[in-house]
Amino acid sequence: MDSIRLAISKIEKMIRTSRLNDLDILMKEGHEQRISEIGESIAKLDPGAYLIGCGPYTQGIYFLSAPETIFGREATLHEAPVGEALDFSINDAVTLRPREVSRRHFKIFQDRMESEKAYFIADLGSTCGTYLNGAPLDAQKEPNQGMDTSAARPLADLDVISLGAETVNLFLFLIVPNH
């Protein structure tokens, strides 16, 4: 039993230390270097719609090429699997339990608006909510039933999406135009 308590203590310390070290590395790089590196990555993107993950658990570039894209997280040891596929998984289980991201949190889907291709976001009944530019989205009434547009909101270039109110799990919606 002592080895389990020691393991738990060691895991917690390693989690805390790695988070602080990551922040330290980020801050040492310097603002101009970070801007340059981000700019180089954005310049390589093909035309289309993207979510740019800007939080510690969402970092990455997610190309929105499918008619519908589902974001969420895998089940933890404390939960039964949802049994449905995710397109992109976000692991915010810092202490091996989830914090703000639900297993099926939100989706982005393509539709037409005034004869133009448009992108919409819908919360899938997440526990902590999905926020668009700081405003909470209403949950989709039937989260497993296709493209219910009643609770969906249109996305505009440079919109900010937060998974939960704490603004830790952040995305920027980006449209890269044809060159």
Side-chain angles (χ1 to χ4, degrees), residues 51-114:
L51 280 189
I52 310 299
C54 301
Y57 310 108
T58 59
Q59 281 187 347
I61 297 174
Y62 306 90
F63 183 47
L64 302 172
S65 59
E68 179 179 275
T69 306
I70 308 276
F71 288 78
R73 65 167 174 76
E74 300 296 325
T76 67
L77 295 172
H78 307 281
E79 304 165 309
V82 173
E84 297 180 48
L86 295 170
D87 295 302
F88 294 106
S89 182
I90 302 156
N91 182 6
D92 79 330
V94 178
T95 57
L96 311 179
R97 287 186 177 260
R99 290 172 62 190
E100 290 188 303
V101 180
S102 292
R103 286 176 285 166
R104 288 177 46 86
H105 199 104
F106 75 100
K107 69 180 174 183
I108 292 180
F109 61 93
Q110 299 175 30
D111 205 346
R112 298 210 85 59
M113 192 162 71
E114 299 173 9

Side-chain angles (χ1 to χ4, degrees), residues 59-179:
Q59 281 187 347
I61 297 174
Y62 306 90
F63 183 47
L64 302 172
S65 59
E68 179 179 275
T69 306
I70 308 276
F71 288 78
R73 65 167 174 76
E74 300 296 325
T76 67
L77 295 172
H78 307 281
E79 304 165 309
V82 173
E84 297 180 48
L86 295 170
D87 295 302
F88 294 106
S89 182
I90 302 156
N91 182 6
D92 79 330
V94 178
T95 57
L96 311 179
R97 287 186 177 260
R99 290 172 62 190
E100 290 188 303
V101 180
S102 292
R103 286 176 285 166
R104 288 177 46 86
H105 199 104
F106 75 100
K107 69 180 174 183
I108 292 180
F109 61 93
Q110 299 175 30
D111 205 346
R112 298 210 85 59
M113 192 162 71
E114 299 173 9
S115 75
E116 297 285 325
K117 180 161 75 168
Y119 291 85
F120 294 83
I121 184 169
D123 181 90
L124 297 175
S126 66
T127 303
C128 293
T130 303
Y131 293 75
L132 181 60
N133 298 319
L137 298 177
D138 292 331
Q140 182 173 316
K141 294 184 184 5
E142 297 293 330
N144 299 324
Q145 302 299 318
M147 295 184 205
D148 168 17
T149 58
S150 65
R153 295 291 167 257
L155 285 168
D157 192 30
L158 305 182
D159 274 349
V160 175
I161 299 163
S162 177
L163 310 187
E166 301 299 322
T167 64
V168 171
N169 297 294
L170 296 172
F171 294 97
L172 180 75
F173 179 71
L174 178 68
I175 300 286
V176 176
N178 291 323
H179 301 287

Side-chain angles (χ1 to χ4, degrees), residues 1-14 96:
M1 199 56 138
D2 285 339
S3 71
I4 295 296
R5 284 197 179 129
L6 181 59
I8 292 167
S9 179
K10 214 170 195 176
I11 290 167
E12 186 281 330
K13 182 178 180 183
M14 290 170 67
L96 311 179

